[in-house]
Amino acid sequence: ANAYAVEPLEELVLRAKSLVEYLQRERRVQGGGFTEFEHGKIVYRSNPHMHLFEAAIYWAEVHPDPVWRRLADEVLDLCVSKFIDPSTGLIGEYFSDRWVRLLEENKFVFEPGHQFEWAWLMGRYQKITGKSLLPVRTRLFAVSEKSGVSRDTGLVFDQVWSDLQPKLLSSRFWPQCERIKAAAQLALENPGDPAYAKSAEQGMAALFRFFDLPMKGLWYDTWEDSGQFRIQPAKASSLYHIIGAIAEYLRLKDMH
């Protein structure tokens, strides 16, 4: 979709639609959605659907074929009806083949970074369709902001239990970016509420801690619960999150 926006070649449309056809033909789950493979096994996860939702939205923004809007609608419907737990308003990560949340001691796992990312994508969807998702988006953001951000470090936790207690005290790089994106987007839509802009600023301050290393232009990936950054290679996939976060943050600053 991004390549098509730069150079609208029909070949790109055909390649993308062939992938959608493959998913519909080979990977469809009876109760809606698609399968994921992990370590050679079929699993049922919400996160791959989030990226499919993202792809469908990007295509719907640049191409008129109704297949993209239908795909986005389908994933959103699955998210609202199955992924989101009605009692907490949170999106679970792991499911059975019937999209029932997998529990441990009557709790399920959620990732604050993914709640922020879903909220931001729902904002993109809302913009192109006019369908208001504000109650869902603000709920995802509010719970993650309150229970998914460490009061000690200001960093977004990797995983939290549905009873709002942290499961993992570590903090990966990318959830900081998704917090910025969701906060900046909501700040632009709610200029009378300074809390969202404040969250974006706090997220940016947290993000820049990951850049503080001798080789400028690289980044740490993981803040350990021991209170130090893990020494490991910088992951190239983080660049996608960096660019998205800074682009959304700059939109906010341009409006101010």
Side-chain angles (χ1 to χ4, degrees):
N2 279 289
Y4 183 84
V6 175
E7 189 173 5
L9 300 174
E10 186 63 21
E11 175 199 350
L12 296 170
V13 181
L14 295 175
R15 286 174 65 185
K17 289 176 75 171
S18 71
L19 283 170
V20 176
E21 290 165 3
Y22 159 74
L23 289 172
Q24 300 285 10
R25 183 178 67 248
E26 303 286 348
R27 305 288 290 274
R28 173 159 287 287
V29 179
Q30 189 171 4
F34 306 93
T35 57
E36 170 73 336
F37 291 117
E38 197 171 78
H39 307 303
K41 296 181 179 179
I42 294 175
V43 294
Y44 303 86
R45 297 183 57 190
S46 59
N47 185 46
H49 291 82
M50 182 187 72
H51 289 291
L52 187 61
F53 185 49
E54 180 178 26
I57 291 169
Y58 273 57
W59 267 112
E61 289 173 339
V62 299
H63 193 268
D65 195 310
V67 67
W68 312 120
R69 171 67 188 273
R70 285 198 303 268
L71 183 59
D73 290 348
E74 178 183 347
V75 177
L76 179 65
D77 289 346
L78 185 66
C79 178
V80 172
S81 65
K82 300 292 186 182
F83 297 163
I84 294 180
D85 172 48
S87 62
T88 63
L90 292 164
I91 298 172
E93 295 289 331
Y94 307 100
F95 296 82
S96 73
D97 60 351
R98 298 184 182 274
W99 298 118
V100 175
R101 276 168 294 283
L102 298 182
L103 303 178
E104 292 183 44
E105 298 180 356
N106 294 317
K107 300 179 292 186
F108 66 88
V109 172
F110 74 93
E111 295 192 12
H114 286 155
Q115 314 298 303
F116 289 133
E117 199 166 0
W118 273 104
W120 179 75
L121 286 170
M122 288 178 185
R124 294 285 294 260
Y125 175 92
Q126 181 175 311
K127 186 175 181 181
I128 64 172
T129 64
K131 180 179 180 179
S132 177
L133 295 167
L134 198 59
V136 180
R137 294 165 57 208
T138 53
R139 171 69 177 171
L140 291 171
F141 183 87
V143 176
S144 297
E145 190 74 6
K146 183 178 179 180
S147 302
V149 179
S150 170
R151 295 179 183 177
D152 296 326
T153 65
L155 302 178
V156 181
F157 291 128
D158 284 334
Q159 290 188 342
V160 179
W161 290 111
S162 56
D163 64 0
L164 307 183
Q165 296 302 307
K167 182 187 181 200
L168 293 177
L169 296 175
S170 57
S171 297
R172 291 280 312 280
F173 180 102
W174 67 266
Q176 323 310 318
C177 299
E178 298 311 314
R179 180 191 183 195
I180 294 165
K181 286 162 61 178
Q185 184 187 64
L186 286 166
L188 285 167
E189 296 177 25
N190 300 273
D193 187 346
Y196 293 121
K198 183 179 178 182
S199 292
E201 295 292 349
Q202 291 173 343
M204 202 55 132
L207 177 64
F208 267 75
R209 292 171 62 185
F210 287 78
F211 293 134
D212 187 18
L213 72 171
M215 180 63 74
K216 298 303 177 185
L218 295 180
W219 47 85
Y220 292 112
D221 182 79
T222 304
W223 174 266
E224 302 274 24
D225 56 10
S226 64
Q228 294 180 321
F229 284 110
R230 183 185 301 167
I231 304 303
Q232 65 186 127
K235 295 189 176 180
S237 58
S238 298
L239 188 61
Y240 151 82
H241 295 279
I242 295 169
I243 292 172
I246 292 179
E248 202 70 21
Y249 180 78
L250 289 176
R251 285 182 61 230
L252 176 62
K253 302 311 286 184
D254 287 345
M255 291 298 292
H256 289 73

